[in-house]
Amino acid sequence: ATVREGQGKGSARRLRMQTACQQLVSTRSTLAQVADRCGFADQSHFNRDFKRMTGMTPRAYRLKFVG
């Protein structure tokens, strides 16, 4: 999927977060690897944005949906 011109940064951020969510539950990649693949500058930036958008940390999200 691509972000169309004019949709703004919010849409791109949501798309990156959707991709991160999918990777967290469907791969065994580390959080740092997921952050890097989804275009975050570093894992702490990823953790902060993820928690702001989902209400939980990436680790908690993975544990909730993978077990």
Side-chain angles (χ1 to χ4, degrees):
T2 59
V3 177
R4 284 182 273 173
E5 204 173 315
Q7 287 183 318
K9 291 182 181 179
S11 294
R13 190 173 293 122
R14 277 192 300 278
L15 180 60
R16 289 191 325 176
M17 214 44 78
Q18 288 172 348
T19 302
C21 288
Q22 291 170 347
Q23 287 192 18
L24 287 170
V25 298
S26 66
T27 71
R28 291 179 177 230
S29 300
T30 66
L31 298 180
Q33 290 169 327
V34 172
D36 183 59
R37 287 184 197 136
C38 293
F40 289 90
D42 54 45
Q43 186 178 339
S44 64
H45 184 199
F46 171 58
N47 289 346
R48 190 171 43 250
D49 278 5
F50 193 94
K51 187 167 185 178
R52 186 179 325 131
M53 294 187 79
T54 66
M56 62 180 76
T57 65
R59 182 176 183 277
Y61 185 91
R62 178 177 265 170
L63 290 173
K64 179 176 180 176
F65 293 105
V66 175

